[in-house]
Amino acid sequence: MTDQNGVFMGMDLLCQVNSHAHRTEEMAVERLLVRRGQPFSLALQCHTTLPPKHKLAIILHLGKEGEVVVKVLDARAGRDKWWFRQQGAQSEVLLTIHSPADAPVGLYSVTVLLLSPDGHILEKTTPETFYLLFNPWCKADSVYLPDEELLEEYILNENGLLYQGSWDQISSLPWNFGQFEQDVVDICFEILDNSPAALTNPEMDTANRADPVYVSRTITAMVNANDDLGVVSGRWDGKYDDGVPPTRWTGSVPILRRWSEAGAQRVRYGQCWVFSGVACTVLRCLGIPTRPVTNYSSAHDTDGNLNVDYLYDEQLESVSEGRKDMIWNYHCWVESWMDREDLPKGYDGWQALDPTPQERSDGVYCCGPCPVKAVRDGDVGMKYDAAFVFSEVNADLVTWIVYPDGQRSQVSLNQNTVGQNISTKSVYGDYREDITKHYKYPEGSVKEREVYEKAGRRVTQPNGAPGQLELKIKHAQAILGTDFDVIVEVHNVGGEDTPAQLTVTSNAVTYNSLHRGECHRKTASLTVPAQKAHKEVLRLRYDHYGACVSEHNLIRVTALLQVSGQPEVVVQEVNIQLSMPQLHVKVVGDAVVSRKLIAHISFTNPLPITLRGGVFTVEGAGLTAAREIQAPDDIGPGQEVKVKLSFKPTRAGLRKLMVDFDADRIRDVKGIATLIVRNK
């Protein structure tokens, strides 16, 4: 419609000015990304001034096929409408566009029309595109978070820590979220576009993207690939030859790019921290404040009775069948900050979202958003999935003996095991913040038991009085590749000598309680004198555990004590986290954008065996895309291997280079280098 004699020359999206104002300049300055509820500007370049009484109009199209059309009003409108104002300046017209704080997020195209005095379209610009994101800086947005320090972490920080290990030996895993890396925003909307709802009814799905509850639930379902064209395929059996072992990933960006480049083909493989890391990247990128969370001794309650039930026969062998209740050493999910206008008052704020496929929710493998406050107060009827999250952090552990006739007898109850040291990275630095109090009242308090009862179950009571034998398991720090002792102490707190049978087993397990093999078993008949203790020492040799230890380097020691001639059974269990060696990473050179740096990486084999097939994986937001470097040779016991890598930083600021090392008999060795990159 434009000819040589037309008015319009073109349109400048003023990307640099807008991205600075909207805090999206880390994403890109050569394209327009703006946040809803906050005005942005366009410059309309003209051959001449606008003819008298002619008007400008702005039309937006939203959706993959532009199926949703939005007319931008040319006069100041209410908060719930798009509107613009114009200001002429020589041969340009500055257009300031105001978006509602509840507009759907997504990719919009904008066209400016020139209308004659009687409303006919005389001319229009070539459509230009921009992304509209959630705006946690805007008071009217349902993701508004009124704390700049929290937003620096939960929206703008591309590096973080995911917590692993066990409740009494917490370790941190550096993770590159990389939400502002090139093309990540496109991939985030591509994930939404591939959801079943978007493929079935794109117009309704597009409209629903105004709601962070809807968007976050969709992302939680799409991060795992169980029901749909989702991103990551989970696997926990140690067989990863047709993909990447979950422990090898150091960040979300290679996973997201691999999924997109393969045409929405699932990426193999992930486990809970990978799912939570990817979800955190996507939600932060879209503008929803999000943080990764780790719950230690996390219950997976399969039957919804708020108990974890362990079943043994009279020989103390496990007889749980089918899908067993389990306690995971730890479990990672995310929390996102938003209002819950779909719920009664009082449930705004942090919402738990769990993208790891465990149980179906409304027929789909997703979990949440669930108000953390609903979990703490036992309001298990609140959507979504509050009962499941409640059991993850507050189930009781009940041990049963099952007799040949099918009858069963409760022999122990532990109300304090599940849900410990719930952790997230502090906004003030690379250290842990404990947020357990957000999820539950102090363990063992009257209030905590009241909430458990309110959650709809009777409070389980142990059978009879406590017995006179007690069990404790102790161990020194255990280092992968070495032999170490585990000491089981049997204390007799009663007034009579007591005969008993003690069975101690050690098993290699994954962090989510799957058994990979028995390392050692010891059975002893003993008589414990009154008011005394008996010590049994179990020597765990690398020869015992080396061949079957999982990639999570966990040994579970279980002690079962049966008092002779009595039904009394005492069970005690500990997870021993084997300490890992570290990689050494040293960066040489001046850290300046586009100037070459050299990273020197070294690793010493701590095992008494030769390592084969060693590979280093390196990545860093604003530093380098993910790259793999093969170890030059096999690595003998005690031998050091060195590799080097050259790269050119692409963005200024505080940056972290993440390195992972994997070989045939050792995985998940991490190293990190922190550097401050300056502009030229």
Side-chain angles (χ1 to χ4, degrees):
M1 278 202 171
T2 307
D3 60 33
Q4 294 300 321
N5 302 318
V7 174
F8 297 158
M9 286 172 60
M11 188 159 53
D12 183 349
L13 299 180
L14 303 176
C15 296
Q16 198 150 4
V17 173
N18 286 316
S19 63
H20 179 73
H22 287 253
R23 297 174 176 84
T24 57
E25 56 199 329
E26 285 277 358
M27 285 173 157
V29 288
E30 69 282 353
R31 55 199 294 208
L32 184 58
L33 295 104
V34 293
R35 300 187 186 279
R36 66 187 192 174
Q38 181 177 340
F40 62 97
S41 301
L42 309 176
L44 184 65
Q45 295 148 341
C46 304
H47 290 289
T48 178
T49 55
L50 297 179
K53 297 190 179 177
H54 285 54
K55 281 189 168 184
L56 295 179
I58 298 178
I59 299 292
L60 303 175
H61 286 83
L62 169 63
K64 208 170 181 184
E65 306 298 328
E67 53 265 21
V68 179
V69 181
V70 181
K71 188 174 189 303
V72 183
L73 304 176
D74 61 353
R76 187 181 183 95
R79 282 184 175 177
D80 60 341
K81 298 281 193 290
W82 286 86
W83 63 277
F84 77 97
R85 56 188 164 85
Q86 66 188 71
Q87 189 176 354
Q90 296 172 326
S91 60
E92 284 194 326
V93 181
L94 187 69
L95 303 170
T96 303
I97 301 176
H98 295 254
S99 63
D102 62 352
V105 299
L107 183 65
Y108 286 74
S109 76
V110 54
T111 306
V112 181
L113 311 179
L114 179 64
L115 304 180
S116 65
D118 59 356
H120 285 94
I121 299 172
L122 302 177
E123 199 177 337
K124 60 183 177 183
T125 59
T126 304
E128 297 279 1
T129 59
F130 66 91
Y131 277 116
L132 188 72
L133 306 174
F134 291 102
N135 191 353
W137 285 271
C138 172
K139 279 186 180 176
D141 196 313
S142 50
V143 299
Y144 173 60
L145 180 56
D147 188 319
E148 193 63 41
E149 284 181 310
L150 298 189
L151 290 168
E152 280 288 328
E153 180 71 30
Y154 301 143
I155 290 287
L156 300 178
N157 195 354
E158 290 186 90
N159 297 299
L161 298 174
L162 308 179
Y163 287 96
Q164 298 181 322
S166 53
W167 70 270
D168 57 348
Q169 198 173 331
I170 294 171
S171 60
S172 61
L173 172 72
W175 192 263
N176 174 26
F177 296 114
Q179 65 267 28
F180 303 143
E181 289 283 85
Q182 191 172 3
D183 303 328
V184 167
V185 66
D186 304 280
I187 297 169
C188 292
F189 282 106
E190 192 183 340
I191 291 169
L192 288 172
D193 290 341
N194 276 281
S195 73
L199 297 172
T200 307
N201 189 337
E203 200 165 332
M204 184 185 287
D205 172 71
T206 298
N208 284 333
R209 292 186 194 178
D211 180 10
V213 174
Y214 176 85
V215 170
S216 63
R217 187 160 169 81
T218 302
I219 292 300
T220 305
M222 286 295 293
V223 163
N224 72 72
N226 277 45
D227 310 285
D228 41 44
L229 299 172
V231 180
V232 182
S233 185
R235 190 158 194 165
W236 285 266
D237 62 4
K239 296 169 184 168
Y240 312 122
D241 290 347
D242 58 343
V244 176
T247 50
R248 189 174 295 177
W249 303 113
T250 51
S252 309
V253 180
I255 296 171
L256 292 167
R257 285 187 177 147
R258 189 178 288 210
W259 174 82
S260 177
E261 288 162 6
Q265 291 292 311
R266 61 187 62 189
V267 177
R268 301 181 173 99
Y269 286 104
Q271 291 172 4
C272 73
W273 69 93
V274 179
F275 291 113
S276 71
V278 172
C280 187
T281 295
V282 176
L283 292 162
R284 282 186 185 180
C285 183
L286 296 175
I288 302 175
T290 301
R291 62 187 185 185
V293 168
T294 301
N295 176 40
Y296 290 94
S297 298
S298 187
H300 182 174
D301 173 22
T302 57
D303 56 9
N305 69 349
L306 300 194
N307 291 336
V308 171
D309 297 297
Y310 282 1
L311 309 179
Y312 296 95
D313 63 16
E314 291 176 284
Q315 282 68 51
L316 306 179
E317 297 283 348
S318 173
V319 292
S320 299
E321 291 181 354
R323 299 177 68 248
K324 296 190 278 192
D325 285 359
M326 291 189 291
I327 296 176
W328 294 23
N329 215 42
Y330 64 87
H331 182 46
C332 303
W333 57 77
V334 296
E335 289 177 356
S336 289
W337 181 273
M338 66 189 74
D339 291 345
R340 290 302 299 270
E341 290 160 19
D342 58 327
L343 295 179
K345 272 194 166 183
Y347 295 103
D348 298 341
W350 289 116
Q351 312 289 319
L353 290 149
D354 190 349
T356 300
Q358 293 186 85
E359 299 290 327
R360 291 185 187 274
S361 171
D362 293 341
V364 177
Y365 277 107
C366 69
C367 178
C370 165
V372 172
K373 186 179 182 300
V375 176
R376 188 192 66 184
D377 293 341
D379 298 330
V380 295
M382 289 298 152
K383 63 183 182 186
Y384 293 90
D385 312 305
F388 184 75
V389 180
F390 181 91
S391 70
E392 286 184 302
V393 301
N394 214 8
D396 284 354
L397 171 59
V398 187
T399 306
W400 305 85
I401 293 290
V402 180
Y403 298 102
D405 61 1
Q407 294 293 311
R408 63 186 194 175
S409 168
Q410 180 188 320
V411 292
S412 75
L413 167 70
N414 192 322
Q415 297 172 337
N416 307 320
T417 295
V418 168
Q420 302 193 51
N421 294 340
I422 303 174
S423 303
T424 190
K425 176 189 172 299
S426 168
V427 298
Y428 303 114
D430 286 350
Y431 52 88
R432 189 180 74 86
E433 180 184 344
D434 193 298
I435 55 172
T436 310
K437 65 180 183 295
H438 297 180
Y439 281 87
K440 58 203 282 194
Y441 290 96
E443 200 68 76
S445 66
V446 172
K447 183 71 175 172
E448 183 264 342
R449 283 291 98 185
E450 281 176 5
V451 166
Y452 187 90
E453 215 167 346
K454 174 187 171 183
R457 318 289 169 189
R458 61 182 180 76
V459 178
T460 319
Q461 294 295 342
N463 289 355
Q468 61 181 25
L469 295 187
E470 296 175 352
L471 268 177
K472 288 182 182 171
I473 304 176
K474 298 178 178 178
H475 63 92
Q477 185 180 15
I479 298 169
L480 182 67
T482 64
D483 303 343
F484 60 94
D485 288 337
V486 177
I487 299 165
V488 180
E489 295 181 354
V490 184
H491 293 262
N492 186 346
V493 296
E496 297 178 6
D497 295 358
T498 307
Q501 177 98 349
L502 175 67
T503 302
V504 185
T505 63
S506 61
N507 289 278
V509 294
T510 62
Y511 80 97
N512 61 332
S513 287
L514 300 179
H515 281 234
R516 288 280 177 81
E518 188 170 277
C519 309
H520 199 42
R521 173 183 285 261
K522 187 173 187 178
T523 303
S525 296
L526 44 100
T527 298
V528 190
Q531 299 296 315
K532 293 279 174 59
H534 172 88
K535 290 185 180 179
E536 200 71 40
V537 179
L538 191 71
R539 181 82 167 160
L540 280 179
R541 304 185 184 279
Y542 181 74
D543 293 350
H544 294 149
Y545 69 79
C548 60
V549 71
S550 76
E551 63 269 29
H552 307 115
N553 302 305
L554 272 177
I555 305 291
R556 175 169 293 169
V557 176
T558 307
L560 299 155
L561 187 71
Q562 191 159 29
V563 178
S564 300
Q566 293 183 27
E568 182 189 337
V569 175
V570 187
V571 181
Q572 193 64 255
E573 199 166 75
V574 298
N575 293 315
I576 300 174
Q577 182 76 54
L578 301 172
S579 293
M580 294 287 286
Q582 280 199 319
L583 288 174
H584 295 286
V585 187
K586 185 179 180 183
V587 178
V588 179
D590 286 336
V592 177
V593 171
S594 299
R595 189 177 295 175
K596 189 165 89 167
L597 292 172
I598 304 288
H600 295 273
I601 303 163
S602 61
F603 165 72
T604 302
N605 178 8
L607 303 184
I609 56 171
T610 296
L611 297 176
R612 295 179 172 82
V615 60
F616 295 88
T617 305
V618 185
E619 74 166 302
L623 296 175
T624 177
R627 294 154 72 177
E628 286 191 354
I629 307 167
Q630 302 297 323
D633 298 298
D634 293 347
I635 311 161
Q639 187 179 333
E640 184 181 48
V641 59
K642 294 180 179 179
V643 296
K644 66 181 181 179
L645 163 87
S646 67
F647 62 96
K648 292 179 180 177
T650 56
R651 289 186 281 136
L654 183 72
R655 302 288 166 197
K656 296 192 176 184
L657 188 71
M658 319 280 192
V659 186
D660 169 82
F661 176 76
D662 277 4
D664 60 339
R665 296 292 289 272
I666 193 169
R667 295 187 189 278
D668 206 19
V669 184
K670 305 293 186 190
I672 187 169
T674 303
L675 48 157
I676 297 171
V677 180
R678 301 189 311 279
N679 281 311
K680 289 181 183 176

